Amino acid sequence: GVCVEVRRVLSWRPERARMGATPLVCMEARTAVEGGVRRCLQVSVTRCGFCLQRGETLASLASELGTSWLQLWAANPHLDRPHDPPLFQPLNLGALFPPQPDDTLAGLARRFGSSTE
């Protein structure tokens, strides 16, 4: 018998709601003769980072995230032209704040001048 090599490319773009997640992604390959094999891997989805896609602007991204384009621009001082940002360049979505074991939601809201509502 002759073996034929078959290659496939798996492409996955996690939705923004999955930022910071580490989902388990499983794939299964089957042959007509020998059955199949299953392989799983853990994928780390970067948190607080994003690359603008074609047709997106700081304003459209801010609207989707419930913030303003000025907040996004402030988090990305490397952007010279906020109304015409380069595509596919990594953007910060905001500063990461490492919570402490004794932090509470109400305490953090007070510290940052916000509310829990």
Side-chain angles (χ1 to χ4, degrees):
V2 176
C3 291
V4 177
E5 182 177 328
V6 177
R7 292 178 184 238
R8 298 288 186 257
V9 174
L10 173 67
S11 178
W12 175 59
R13 177 186 286 172
E15 56 274 3
R16 291 184 186 148
R18 307 278 291 162
M19 288 189 296
T22 53
L24 185 64
V25 178
C26 298
M27 295 158 273
E28 192 169 315
R30 294 187 176 272
T31 66
V33 178
E34 295 184 20
V37 61
R38 180 182 170 114
R39 297 287 184 258
C40 296
L41 56 114
Q42 200 82 35
V43 177
S44 178
V45 181
T46 303
R47 171 179 273 169
C48 290
F50 185 75
C51 292
L52 288 178
Q53 305 298 307
R54 247 181 249 314
E56 292 182 316
T57 63
L58 288 183
S60 67
L61 177 59
S63 175
E64 187 174 327
L65 297 172
T67 189
S68 75
W69 71 268
L70 286 170
Q71 291 287 348
L72 292 178
W73 188 31
N76 293 278
H78 61 279
L79 293 178
D80 296 331
R81 301 179 328 266
H83 295 295
D84 186 25
L87 294 178
F88 314 116
Q89 179 177 345
L91 297 177
N92 295 316
L93 298 183
L96 288 177
F97 175 78
Q100 301 303 309
D102 59 339
D103 281 339
T104 65
L105 184 58
L108 290 173
R110 277 191 306 278
R111 184 182 308 164
F112 293 107
S114 186
S115 74
T116 58
E117 297 176 22

